[in-house]
Amino acid sequence: MSDFWSFWIAAIIAINIGGCVVLLFLTRRGQKFNEHTTETTGHEYDGIQELDNPMPKWWLLMFYGSILFGIAYLILYPGMGKYEGLLKWTSTNQWEREMDKGREKYGAVIANYARLDEVDADGNRPFRSVDDIMNDDYAMDAGRRLFLNNCAACHGSTATGSLGFPNLTDSDWLYGGSFETIKETLKGGRGGIMPAKGLTGQLNEKEITQLAHYVRSLSGIQVDEASAAAGKALFMNTKGGCYTCHGPDGRGMQSAGAPNLTDDVWLYGGRQEEVEFTLRHGRKGYMPAWLEDLGEDKIHLIAAYVYSLSKDE
């Protein structure tokens, strides 16, 4: 925040508090009677008159108290622009303290589910195998709850995904579906890019349509054969350049995160217009890295849970 806006916010708050004090002072100074009276203020509406009684003491005390509370709050807590307050409170610090309490309370529980009770020769507690975790109902329940709290927002509560977010319950994996690969994905994240071949001028609209026909034909969809034949040539040559990532047979490469185009799994939709949109505008997928936020133990449990979803397919 700049010095100007800091001063501006502080000035507005000070003027409001000062205005309340002035309003209270002028109201008290202008009252004619200090006790209850039958005299009226002269106001009348629909036969109703207003008595010229002083403000109730309880109301005055609440008003004074509100002003004093506001001043005390602004001294202790941030509120006056850049001023941090005597207590140096921030929402980030409070969140970190609460997270530390949660880690202290539940960390040992999660570790017991994720790690062996025995200690190895180096004094470490090695991780339990994925089979051990999958056969432990408590560990799997912990993994499921961690998934719901951290992964369900994108992949859904049933892990079946949605448009742009992979289904984790089938056998189709962009980067590999082994337990170790899933764990690596959770720890380090993933970033996939499908280049925009239309926006860059690499392909014209007719070529995009032809290429989309061929790509859809790879998964067994009925398309225009002549258009698909022209699309295949684009797929295989340097102008289209699709084979460099998806392979000459279209089965993709997990090392590059390039999806298999020969099955019926479509991350962004498999209709003609959807495939054309992907070719024209490109796609950019992002899977965040969770190691810093969750730690090794939680990731170990989530990986085992996710692995179990496709293993039981």
Side-chain angles (χ1 to χ4, degrees):
M1 182 187 297
S2 66
D3 292 337
F4 170 79
W5 288 113
S6 176
F7 174 79
W8 179 265
I9 293 171
I12 291 177
I13 294 173
I15 289 172
N16 275 274
I17 293 176
C20 291
V21 174
V22 171
L23 176 63
L24 186 59
F25 173 77
L26 293 178
T27 303
R28 289 281 290 164
R29 185 177 182 183
Q31 71 182 34
K32 297 179 180 179
F33 306 96
N34 293 323
E35 303 293 338
H36 288 281
T37 178
T38 58
E39 296 292 330
T40 66
T41 61
H43 302 158
E44 182 177 345
Y45 179 79
D46 197 22
I48 300 174
Q49 295 180 326
E50 181 182 356
L51 295 175
D52 195 8
N53 286 325
M55 290 183 290
K57 289 184 178 180
W58 64 267
W59 188 90
L60 286 172
L61 291 174
M62 287 186 64
F63 207 150
Y64 287 131
S66 297
I67 294 173
L68 292 175
F69 175 84
I71 294 173
Y73 180 92
L74 292 171
I75 292 174
L76 296 173
Y77 294 94
M80 299 289 284
K82 289 185 176 180
Y83 175 67
E84 297 180 346
L86 295 179
L87 298 180
K88 306 295 183 182
W89 178 91
T90 66
S91 57
T92 301
N93 291 340
Q94 180 175 337
W95 176 81
E96 289 176 347
R97 287 195 298 270
E98 291 175 355
M99 290 298 294
D100 288 339
K101 289 181 181 179
R103 281 189 284 266
E104 181 179 352
K105 182 176 182 180
Y106 299 108
V109 177
I110 297 296
N112 285 334
Y113 291 150
R115 295 177 179 270
L116 296 172
D117 292 332
E118 299 84 0
V119 178
D120 62 19
D122 297 326
N124 300 316
R125 299 174 64 210
F127 283 109
R128 300 169 66 186
S129 71
V130 62
D131 291 328
D132 289 338
I133 294 177
M134 289 171 59
N135 291 324
D136 187 325
D137 292 339
Y138 290 104
M140 289 300 292
D141 186 58
R144 181 182 65 84
R145 291 176 182 274
L146 288 168
F147 178 90
L148 292 175
N149 287 335
N150 298 281
C151 313
C154 292
H155 295 283
S157 59
T158 57
T160 52
S162 60
L163 186 66
F165 301 101
N167 180 357
L168 305 178
T169 65
D170 58 19
S171 58
D172 186 80
W173 294 91
L174 287 174
Y175 296 95
S178 69
F179 171 70
E180 292 301 329
T181 303
I182 295 171
K183 189 174 178 180
E184 180 183 346
T185 298
L186 286 167
K187 291 170 64 175
R190 300 288 186 180
I193 296 177
M194 162 68 192
K197 298 182 180 297
L199 294 181
T200 59
Q202 184 175 346
L203 299 175
N204 58 40
E205 284 298 312
K206 181 180 180 180
E207 291 170 331
I208 286 175
T209 299
Q210 293 171 339
L211 185 54
H213 275 290
Y214 175 68
V215 169
R216 296 180 74 237
S217 73
L218 292 174
S219 61
I221 299 174
Q222 293 296 321
V223 298
D224 181 81
E225 294 184 3
S227 184
K232 180 177 181 179
L234 290 169
F235 189 94
M236 296 297 184
N237 64 28
T238 55
K239 185 173 185 181
C242 307
Y243 70 94
T244 57
C245 291
H246 296 281
D249 56 359
R251 294 187 178 277
M253 290 188 292
Q254 291 182 343
S255 59
N260 181 358
L261 304 177
T262 65
D263 56 21
D264 59 353
V265 179
W266 297 91
L267 187 58
Y268 295 100
R271 294 182 300 169
Q272 178 70 21
E273 57 269 27
E274 291 171 331
V275 178
E276 287 186 14
F277 185 93
T278 297
L279 291 168
R280 184 180 302 111
H281 298 278
R283 299 289 186 178
K284 183 179 292 186
Y286 175 69
M287 161 71 187
W290 288 97
L291 180 60
E292 183 176 351
D293 292 331
L294 297 180
E296 289 273 1
D297 293 330
K298 291 180 180 179
I299 284 179
H300 195 72
L301 287 177
I302 297 175
Y305 173 72
V306 171
Y307 179 72
S308 73
L309 296 177
S310 60
K311 188 176 178 62
D312 295 339
E313 185 190 15

